[in-house]
Structures are given as C-alpha cells and as structure tokens.
Amino acid sequence: MWVSTKAQYGLRALVEIGLRQPQAVPLKDVAEAQGISQHYLEQIAAQLRRAGFIRSVRGARGGYKLGRPSEKIDALEVVEALEGSLAPVICLDDPELCWQTGHCSTENLWKRVDEAMRGVLRSTTLKDLIEERRLIESRKLVQLEPAMSLAQSGTPLQP
C-alpha cells in the first residue's frame, strides 16, 4: 500500500486551491507554493479536472477553482481518481485472480486493512484538510510573534 506522489500532490494542490477560494489560482502559483514541478502538476491537474474536482477559469485572472464545495470532496475519491484501486492485494479487486480466494488465512486481514484505509480516507474531506492547513499556518504565526516582539524591543534573540 504505497500512495504515490501523484495522490499526495493532488491532495496538496486541492488544498492550495481550496484555501484561495473564491479566486481562481494559476497552476504556477500552486506549484510554487507546494514545491511541486509545474509540469508534473499539469498532468495531475488534468486528471483532477476530468474527475470534476477542479475547473479551469480562463482570462487574465484565470486559473483553477474547486469543481464542488470542499465538504463534498473526500480524500478517498481523490486518491482513487489519481491512483486507481487502493486494495492492498489483487484478490480484493478481482477474487477470480487468486485460487486461494475463500480459503486463504490472510484474506480477512487484507479486507480489514482495506476497509480501515478506505474508512479513514472516506471520512476525511477536503474541507478537513483545508482547516488543518489553516491551523498549521496559524501555529507558525503564533511561534513567530514572540520572536518578532523581542526583536522589535531591541532585546537580543538567543540562538
């Protein structure tokens, strides 16, 4: 169960676009903010657009906007749109491919792993991830405030 950079970057791009709603966000800005190759992000954005997660806006203030409200997009559907199946073993997707299906001592283990992973991703919306990002950003600001106050007061900062 390896989630590729495509899914990771796709979710991060959606968070970046969602943070800047209602403005359209140029893909170049998303790539810079997230430290992702713009060329690679263009490929991911094409898949996200086809799946309806984002839509393009033309013009001088063009870019991308979310295709639906952030609370209506869950991480599972994004990851599956970019990755395909998340099943940890092939027999969960196609039981006929394995001659052990129905007689395998590890089959229930893989089903539980699959259900747990899908449950976590399904219960996490893009809105949740955007709120998490805002929380992280606000923590950064709180950490900077005391240091900035000391620097402005002329008190030397300790390393």
Side-chain angles (χ1 to χ4, degrees), residues 8-155:
Q8 294 173 51
Y9 291 176
L11 281 168
R12 285 174 36 197
L14 288 172
V15 168
E16 195 67 38
I17 292 166
L19 274 170
R20 301 180 189 203
Q21 290 286 86
Q23 288 82 26
V25 185
L27 214 50
K28 177 181 177 245
D29 293 357
V30 175
E32 286 176 8
Q34 290 298 318
I36 302 170
S37 154
Q38 186 174 344
H39 178 70
Y40 189 33
L41 189 55
E42 287 167 357
Q43 295 171 25
I44 295 168
Q47 285 184 268
L48 293 172
R49 191 173 17 85
R50 281 192 298 273
F53 299 120
I54 57 176
R55 62 184 174 86
S56 59
V57 177
R58 296 186 180 269
R61 296 188 178 207
Y64 287 93
K65 289 184 169 193
L66 294 179
R68 350 189 266 255
S70 61
E71 65 272 9
K72 303 242 185 234
I73 299 172
D74 68 54
L76 177 63
E77 62 182 330
V78 174
V79 173
E80 285 183 331
L82 294 171
E83 296 279 336
S85 174
L86 292 177
V89 291
I90 193 78
C91 60
L92 293 181
D93 282 336
D94 191 351
E96 293 182 17
L97 289 178
C98 181
W99 63 275
Q100 289 277 29
T101 300
H103 308 285
C104 178
S105 62
T106 62
E107 187 174 350
N108 284 330
L109 167 68
W110 299 126
K111 284 180 181 178
R112 289 193 319 268
V113 168
D114 186 55
E115 290 167 5
M117 187 167 58
R118 287 176 187 278
V120 169
L121 292 170
R122 188 180 296 112
S123 68
T124 305
T125 66
L126 182 57
K127 182 179 180 183
D128 297 331
L129 297 174
I130 291 168
E131 289 172 0
E132 180 71 21
R133 169 78 182 279
R134 286 187 175 127
L135 182 63
I136 290 166
E137 294 299 320
S138 70
R139 285 183 189 146
K140 286 181 186 176
L141 291 175
V142 169
Q143 290 173 354
L144 288 176
E145 284 178 5
M148 288 177 64
S149 297
L150 286 174
Q152 290 170 349
S153 70
T155 306

